[in-house]
Amino acid sequence: MKKIRLSIFMSILFCVGYFIFYGHQNKIQAAPPSGYSDILTAPGVNIVPGANSAISEIDGDYGSMFKLTQYTSYEPFGEAETIEYDSHLSKSYRFHNDTVASEKGVWIRNAGMYNGRSVDLKLVIDQMDFADKGSGNSPYFNFVAVDFSDINSTVNTIIPNTKTWGEAFLFLGSTTRSASKINDTYTFEDNASYHYEFYDSETKKQLNYKGTWNFNNINIAKAVTTPFNNDFDKMFVLDSTWIGYKDASKPNYLELFGNGTTVNAPASRLTQLFESQSFATSMEKRYSNGNGGTALGAMGIMYSTESLARIAPAKPIIFAEKNSAVHTEADYGRIKYSILQTVADNKLENRNTTFSIETMVPSQYDIDLSKVRVYEFGTGETVEKTGQFTIAIDPMNSSRVILTAKDPTTNEFNGSVLEIKVEAKQNATFKFNKVDHNYQVGGKDDAHMIYELGGTTTTTHYTYLNRFSGDLNAEVVVQDDQTKAKVLYEGVPYGVAKTDVKIPMGGSIATAYPNAKDLLTSYDVDTGNEIDRPVTVSYVGTPPDISAKQPGDIVDVPLIMTSAKGVETPITVKIEITQTIFDLDIEHLDAETGAVIATTSPLPSGEADEEYLATSKAISGYIPTAVLVDGVDKTPAQLTDPLTVTAKFVTNKKVTFKYTKLRTPVVNAKFAVNPTTVPLGGQTEYTATIQNTAQAPTKWRNVFYQVDTPFPDKIVPDPTSVTVNGMPIAADKVEFNPITRAFKINLGDLDQNQVIIKYKVEIAADATLQTLKQTYTVSGDEAAKTSNETSLAIIAGEGQLNVLYRKKDETNNDVKMDPDRDAITTQKDGTAFDITPETFDGYVLDKIIVDGQALPEPLPTSVKGKYGEISTIEFHYKGTLLITSAPSLLDFEMNEASAKELRVESAKTDKDLVVTDTRATKQRWYLYAKVTEDFKTTDGSNKTLSGILRYNDGGTTEKSFPVDQNQLLTSPDNYSDTKYNISQTWTAKGKGFKVEVPGDYVKQLGEYRAKIVYTLSEVPNLP
């Protein structure tokens, strides 16, 4: 079965029938039963005329229904017993109180359709309160599972007063027919509670329903409960009903009861609107006859689809398709979609008078009438209903089709869920545009056009007599892009042909343009989507033969552009046939006067676009200095003699060479050295600047550079460092004679106006201290020049000593000490030094590093050495945790003895008690105090006052100090600081040391002293 996912809520219709006994038909009793109010008098209740046409209408969203189809199946759960029947595939499932299953009931798979989704119905039996009829014998509660093959069978029906097995679809309870094997009987006030839940067959998720529940057979045999919230306006009854009502014992429920005994009587029916994920109800056994008898009897529930009140058609629902057919397939470019239309199951007199559906696609598409088909939804296109409609294209709009029901009152049309399939094809007005067609680049819909088909483009029209009518528009459904039709569009290549394309007579198109793409100025695909690229360009067959064409003829050359998806677009390029041979004008001019100083004869000639290398002439007294092609300067950056340039026949018309008169070079020579003072073992660089300052300078030939003063011993030029105008010179052009100490460079022929020569000179460490003065001479054909003099001082060297002080920070990086004691000093090489490391409060020397090498332990008290031999000394310190200050005296100044207890709250101190923590990584620490000698007289009498010292740390109990026992004074929670002054926290009424002397404890006046030891620990619980 084809499954379509929807998200617009439709409706569901239930009809429930209650049976009390079978066979005898009793007369309807219109009065309500005793103790109940007449439902016809309930405020707001909807009263439906009996056999007349409807005067009220229920919204079409309540028109969905359950229906037995070939796809319906059953799955009992909760230890059900199975009953089978001869010659039938239908079964019954029996449930009993004695089973221990936590949940009992039946799954009815594919029980109906809701919003285009197949629905699973779950019946859950919540409670069976049936009396024991003796010896543990209590009745079963039964469900009949009718198989589709038995739907029209009339053989051995198991429920009296039914013609076919199909009428037992969803039957629940018992019958009086023993052959049914479910003929259980119930005692007065036996009751069963149960509810229905609704699930999507595909996703298995529970659904929220908006629908109708149609009760049938509310009579004297049973009382029925239904959910109620003071909303009688959601209930429909016939004007002849016998139903009475009262509040049920269960809150928010209404109890319904009837005084009639006729089975399936119209007076026993009630329709109720609801919206929920489930519908709960119950039935309780009442009387076995109209006289109030309470004998055992059967009771059962049936389901039917006929609505008590008229239900209008539902809104049409669009299910658009994604058409990914490619351009070589028949369905390429088509819009495809289905319209789901529910027609409620109404009584004959309540059925629609007229009914039609019209649907429209975008204007650049035409509806394909041959593809419009109507089927019964859920039948897999096996039940076609196209013949029930007149189908026509709107004569004023080929994008619209109208389907009109021929007779909407027929049984075949009534109670249908119609699936209308529609296709549309692109018409002559179709023109691709990314915006107009909502074309997608990338993502899940890459290369697809998207059209929203929900909204007013599809409308259902109906009338009922002259009382009701409606125009129902389809809704836009965003979820899963339900109403968006998606159509693959494969990009169409486009291009622009070149203009003014010419080929000489007798030529070949394939030779002139071997690549067909070269005949186009541009080409691409209209989508701009990489999925359609690249576009290739090719000739259509073999390029036209132009061998017999004459100058002036125009030839059409057909090309084909093909996208990566194989979509083709033809394009034609026009080519003009031209003459074969063309001349190129060449002139030679004086650069200063513009006068012609030479000619080229005969002028060169060739075919169009053939290349020609034009060359300057050798003209006495001149040198070529510029070349132009059609007036555009093409002179190379590096002048050569002769000058050459490449031109094309036809494309280029004239080549102009310009010449400058030869002149004798006028030379300037400058000489510099940097630095001018170099210590032994150092290096310097010489720079020679040579300029030809003649007007219109010409090439200077056979030029040599030579230092006039030989280099002294142990002062050597580096031939490999020589550069000319920033470029290294070949090694064979540089000569240094180690014997004569002469230095010479062969510069060859110089074209430049200026030449800069650089080279480095090395001074050995044992060279002689001196001042070196030098000049150079540059000479060549027709000119020579000697430079100015340079002066280089060779001096003794100086050494620099860096002394650094470092510690680790919290991230283990080396940082400067605080205060910064780094120092840099400079002295003559060989000067001795002796460096003693600085001291820093809270830090100890950890290591010494000299020029990158750590000294071994034990570390020396100083570092000795000489300038020039050692450059860097690093002293590294590590932080410590220590007591940097402690009072040597705590003076409590007690000046009397007393029979009463004495207490001194504070003591005078000579120093603060301070802890310093300079560790790179701070951790909690613990400060302890221990009395090692208790208070004792100082006069030698050895009188003691034991146990009188106290310490208040801010807690609730002060600490005492038994001899040789550590007591924790403090361990701060915030241990990120560097200094902690503990004694600054001591106050007379707060923290600090105290003494407490009991009354009459002092036996001798005098000075008493005790000894206390402070201990700082990185671990707790010091013993």
Side-chain angles (χ1 to χ4, degrees):
M1 181 177 70
K2 185 176 182 182
K3 299 180 179 180
I4 301 179
R5 301 187 63 187
L6 305 174
S7 61
I8 296 179
F9 285 154
M10 289 177 63
S11 59
I12 200 84
L13 173 67
F14 293 85
C15 297
V16 183
Y18 292 78
F19 289 78
I20 57 173
F21 65 92
Y22 307 94
H24 183 64
Q25 299 288 318
N26 290 331
K27 184 178 179 180
I28 294 176
Q29 301 177 18
S34 177
Y36 292 81
S37 299
D38 188 347
I39 200 164
L40 291 174
T41 65
V45 73
N46 299 281
I47 300 174
V48 180
N52 298 324
S53 55
I55 61 173
S56 62
E57 184 177 69
I58 297 175
D59 189 282
D61 286 346
Y62 295 93
S64 224
M65 64 203 70
F66 285 131
K67 189 174 183 179
L68 179 63
T69 69
Q70 65 266 41
Y71 306 109
T72 305
S73 62
Y74 306 89
E75 298 173 15
F77 56 89
E79 303 182 36
E81 297 181 14
T82 302
I83 301 296
E84 297 183 351
Y85 301 99
D86 295 338
S87 304
H88 295 285
L89 296 179
S90 300
K91 300 176 182 179
S92 288
Y93 300 119
R94 292 167 58 77
F95 300 91
H96 199 273
N97 264 333
D98 289 346
T99 58
V100 297
S102 60
E103 190 176 52
K104 304 181 177 98
V106 181
W107 278 103
I108 304 98
R109 303 291 187 188
N110 300 307
M113 302 302 300
Y114 178 79
N115 268 1
R117 299 176 183 271
S118 182
V119 177
D120 289 345
L121 183 63
K122 183 182 182 183
L123 166 66
V124 180
I125 302 169
D126 300 309
Q127 179 179 332
M128 293 180 288
D129 188 5
F130 301 151
D132 188 347
K133 292 183 286 187
S135 303
N137 181 20
S138 60
Y140 284 80
F141 206 43
N142 309 288
F143 174 84
V144 177
V146 181
D147 189 82
F148 182 71
S149 63
D150 295 328
I151 190 170
N152 295 316
S153 174
T154 60
V155 178
N156 297 327
T157 57
I158 63 174
I159 301 175
N161 294 338
T162 58
K163 295 180 180 180
T164 67
W165 278 75
E167 294 178 67
F169 179 52
L170 302 183
F171 176 85
L172 184 66
S174 68
T175 79
T176 58
R177 185 166 290 176
S178 60
S180 70
K181 305 178 186 179
I182 56 171
N183 55 326
D184 298 85
T185 58
Y186 302 96
T187 304
F188 183 74
E189 294 186 346
D190 276 1
N191 63 83
S193 300
Y194 50 93
H195 69 274
Y196 295 95
E197 297 173 2
F198 316 108
Y199 293 84
D200 187 306
S201 294
E202 180 180 354
T203 67
K204 306 305 180 186
K205 293 182 179 180
Q206 194 166 1
L207 299 176
N208 190 65
Y209 276 84
K210 176 183 176 184
T212 57
W213 195 277
N214 288 352
F215 289 97
N216 191 8
N217 267 14
I218 301 175
N219 54 28
I220 202 166
K222 65 192 75 64
V224 179
T225 62
T226 185
F228 181 69
N229 189 25
N230 295 320
D231 47 2
F232 282 110
D233 59 336
K234 293 185 178 179
M235 293 184 178
F236 295 77
V237 295
L238 290 175
D239 56 5
S240 60
T241 186
W242 60 38
I243 297 174
Y245 73 92
K246 68 178 180 179
D247 289 337
S249 58
K250 184 177 180 180
N252 298 320
Y253 275 78
L254 193 69
E255 184 175 307
L256 305 173
F257 187 54
N259 63 5
T261 58
T262 303
V263 176
N264 199 29
S268 67
R269 298 180 181 178
L270 180 145
T271 294
Q272 182 178 357
L273 308 185
F274 79 100
E275 183 173 1
S276 180
Q277 291 185 336
S278 63
F279 191 90
T281 183
S282 68
M283 61 178 171
E284 182 174 301
K285 188 71 176 76
R286 284 290 186 266
Y287 307 109
S288 57
N289 55 53
N291 299 321
T294 58
L296 296 175
M299 60 179 176
I301 299 174
M302 294 179 67
Y303 170 89
S304 67
T305 61
E306 187 176 85
S307 172
L308 184 61
R310 167 179 161 75
I311 301 179
K315 293 177 182 177
I317 301 176
I318 301 297
F319 296 94
E321 296 184 28
K322 184 175 184 177
N323 179 11
S324 297
V326 299
H327 72 281
T328 57
E329 297 174 328
D331 285 344
Y332 175 68
R334 284 180 168 253
I335 292 176
K336 296 184 177 185
Y337 63 103
S338 296
I339 305 169
L340 189 70
Q341 177 64 60
T342 299
V343 180
D345 190 353
N346 286 310
K347 296 185 298 182
L348 179 62
E349 61 269 20
N350 288 345
R351 295 175 184 174
N352 298 306
T353 304
T354 62
F355 183 92
S356 64
I357 298 175
E358 63 178 56
T359 185
M360 184 173 64
V361 294
S363 61
Q364 295 185 31
Y365 288 80
D366 287 345
I367 298 289
D368 186 346
L369 195 61
S370 67
K371 296 292 185 179
V372 180
R373 290 288 183 271
V374 185
Y375 300 95
E376 179 68 29
F377 184 73
T379 63
E381 300 184 3
T382 60
V383 180
E384 185 169 358
K385 294 192 172 184
T386 309
Q388 296 183 17
F389 289 87
T390 299
I391 305 174
I393 300 294
D394 185 342
M396 303 299 294
N397 186 353
S398 59
S399 301
R400 185 197 308 271
V401 66
I402 303 170
L403 298 91
T404 305
K406 296 177 180 177
D407 184 0
T409 65
T410 63
N411 290 335
E412 291 77 15
F413 188 82
N414 185 62
S416 299
V417 180
L418 304 173
E419 182 180 11
I420 304 166
K421 292 187 171 293
V422 182
E423 289 188 23
K425 55 188 177 182
Q426 295 169 3
N427 58 35
T429 68
F430 181 87
K431 184 176 182 180
F432 177 75
N433 177 285
K434 290 183 181 180
V435 176
D436 293 346
H437 296 278
N438 196 14
Y439 179 77
Q440 303 295 301
V441 177
K444 62 184 178 66
D445 296 319
D446 188 22
H448 285 72
M449 302 178 291
I450 298 181
Y451 306 101
E452 178 56 67
L453 300 182
T456 58
T457 57
T458 298
T459 304
T460 296
H461 307 280
Y462 75 91
T463 63
Y464 172 65
L465 301 177
N466 59 353
R467 300 175 186 171
F468 303 105
S469 64
D471 300 314
L472 308 173
N473 295 325
E475 294 184 354
V476 174
V477 182
V478 176
Q479 183 178 351
D480 298 327
D481 292 343
Q482 177 184 308
T483 53
K484 285 181 168 54
K486 302 176 181 181
V487 182
L488 178 69
Y489 180 81
E490 294 186 327
V492 176
Y494 67 90
V496 178
K498 284 184 176 179
T499 59
D500 198 28
V501 180
K502 296 179 174 61
I503 294 180
M505 182 180 63
S508 164
I509 296 175
T511 301
Y513 295 95
N515 293 317
K517 66 180 182 179
D518 293 336
L519 288 169
L520 303 181
T521 58
S522 63
Y523 54 90
D524 201 352
V525 283
D526 56 357
T527 61
N529 195 336
E530 290 301 323
I531 199 172
D532 294 317
R533 291 168 172 155
V535 173
T536 58
V537 184
S538 58
Y539 290 103
V540 178
T542 302
D545 181 7
I546 60 173
S547 60
K549 298 295 182 181
Q550 298 297 314
D553 288 347
I554 303 297
V555 179
D556 288 340
V557 180
L559 308 178
I560 194 76
M561 298 175 290
T562 307
S563 75
K565 298 297 184 181
V567 179
E568 297 180 341
T569 301
I571 188 171
T572 299
V573 181
K574 296 183 179 297
I575 296 179
E576 180 184 355
I577 307 302
T578 64
Q579 65 185 57
T580 305
I581 303 301
F582 303 88
D583 291 336
L584 179 64
D585 186 14
I586 299 179
E587 61 182 2
H588 307 271
L589 306 178
D590 186 301
E592 295 182 23
T593 65
V596 176
I597 56 175
T599 59
T600 297
S601 182
L603 291 174
S605 59
E607 296 181 354
D609 289 332
E610 178 184 348
E611 291 187 346
Y612 174 77
L613 185 65
T615 306
S616 65
K617 287 179 170 293
I619 303 174
S620 178
Y622 284 90
I623 184 171
T625 55
V627 60
L628 293 82
V629 177
D630 292 336
V632 179
D633 191 353
K634 298 292 184 179
T635 307
Q638 186 71 33
L639 287 175
T640 61
D641 188 5
L643 280 178
T644 60
V645 70
T646 299
K648 286 186 177 181
F649 292 104
V650 178
T651 301
N652 303 127
K653 302 295 188 288
K654 181 186 289 186
V655 175
T656 302
F657 289 102
K658 293 186 177 182
Y659 301 81
T660 301
K661 291 181 179 180
L662 289 172
R663 290 179 171 84
T664 301
V666 178
V667 181
N668 285 337
K670 299 179 182 179
F671 203 17
V673 61
N674 185 39
T676 57
T677 300
V678 179
L680 295 175
Q683 183 188 77
T684 191
E685 183 178 61
Y686 282 86
T687 301
T689 302
I690 305 167
Q691 293 177 310
N692 182 356
T693 62
Q695 185 179 11
T698 55
K699 182 177 292 187
W700 189 17
R701 303 180 185 278
N702 301 317
V703 181
F704 284 87
Y705 169 93
Q706 183 166 348
V707 177
D708 299 326
T709 306
F711 282 96
D713 186 36
K714 297 184 180 180
I715 300 176
V716 181
D718 180 6
T720 64
S721 69
V722 178
T723 62
V724 176
N725 286 345
M727 300 298 295
I729 194 170
D732 61 354
K733 301 292 185 180
V734 182
E735 178 185 346
F736 175 67
N737 190 319
I739 298 174
T740 64
R741 315 294 291 176
F743 184 57
K744 187 175 184 179
I745 302 172
N746 182 357
L747 298 176
D749 296 344
L750 297 183
D751 295 318
Q752 301 94 333
N753 294 353
Q754 177 173 284
V755 175
I756 299 176
I757 303 169
K758 292 180 178 287
Y759 54 88
K760 298 184 184 304
V761 174
E762 306 284 347
I763 293 88
D766 56 348
T768 303
L769 300 179
Q770 59 186 291
T771 298
L772 176 62
K773 297 181 183 293
Q774 287 184 314
T775 60
Y776 70 84
T777 298
V778 58
S779 59
D781 294 352
E782 301 180 339
K785 184 70 174 180
T786 299
S787 73
N788 59 291
E789 185 179 70
T790 59
S791 179
L792 174 65
I794 312 298
I795 62 173
E798 290 185 340
Q800 190 177 75
L801 179 63
N802 294 329
V803 180
L804 309 178
Y805 295 89
R806 296 291 183 265
K807 64 178 179 179
K808 296 290 187 182
D809 65 7
E810 62 275 5
T811 59
N812 205 36
N813 293 320
D814 287 331
V815 296
K816 289 183 177 183
M817 294 298 293
D818 186 14
D820 182 4
R821 300 289 177 80
D822 290 359
I824 300 175
T825 57
T826 303
Q827 295 290 339
K828 295 289 187 180
D829 289 344
T831 303
F833 61 78
D834 186 355
I835 306 298
T836 301
E838 299 278 355
T839 58
F840 295 90
D841 188 19
Y843 290 86
V844 296
L845 187 63
D846 183 40
K847 59 183 176 181
I848 302 174
I849 300 175
V850 177
D851 284 343
Q853 298 294 319
L855 299 185
E857 294 187 350
L859 297 178
T861 58
S862 66
V863 178
K864 299 178 180 179
K866 293 182 179 181
Y867 284 89
E869 297 177 358
I870 295 176
S871 62
T872 304
I873 302 172
E874 299 176 36
F875 294 106
H876 289 260
Y877 296 79
K878 65 179 179 180
T880 59
L881 176 67
L882 71 163
I883 299 172
T884 53
S885 173
S888 60
L889 178 67
L890 293 174
D891 188 355
F892 289 97
E893 293 186 333
M894 184 182 294
N895 296 318
E896 60 179 326
S898 174
K900 297 180 180 180
E901 180 180 288
L902 295 176
R903 178 178 173 88
V904 181
E905 296 289 350
S906 62
K908 291 183 178 180
T909 60
D910 59 343
K911 297 179 183 178
D912 286 341
L913 178 58
V914 179
V915 172
T916 300
D917 185 1
T918 58
R919 295 173 296 177
T921 302
K922 300 289 196 297
Q923 294 179 333
R924 182 181 288 276
W925 49 265
Y926 307 84
L927 179 64
Y928 294 89
K930 176 171 65 176
V931 173
T932 59
E933 294 181 11
D934 220 335
F935 285 94
K936 185 190 304 183
T937 55
T938 59
D939 59 2
S941 60
N942 291 329
K943 299 295 182 180
T944 61
L945 296 175
S946 300
I948 67 171
L949 186 62
R950 303 285 187 269
Y951 188 80
N952 185 332
D953 63 359
T956 57
T957 303
E958 291 185 340
K959 297 180 179 179
S960 59
F961 292 82
V963 175
D964 290 333
Q965 289 188 17
N966 278 302
Q967 294 292 342
L968 180 66
L969 299 187
T970 185
S971 178
D973 292 330
N974 179 12
Y975 44 82
S976 61
D977 293 337
T978 299
K979 286 189 178 295
Y980 305 82
N981 192 324
I982 290 91
S983 55
Q984 283 188 353
T985 67
W986 296 345
T987 64
K989 296 299 183 181
K991 295 181 180 180
F993 285 102
K994 325 284 182 181
V995 292
E996 192 172 273
V997 182
D1000 291 331
Y1001 189 53
V1002 179
K1003 303 303 182 182
Q1004 178 179 318
L1005 296 176
E1007 182 179 350
Y1008 289 79
R1009 288 190 178 181
K1011 186 179 292 185
I1012 189 167
V1013 176
Y1014 299 99
T1015 304
L1016 188 58
S1017 173
E1018 293 180 330
V1019 296
N1021 303 320
L1022 192 68

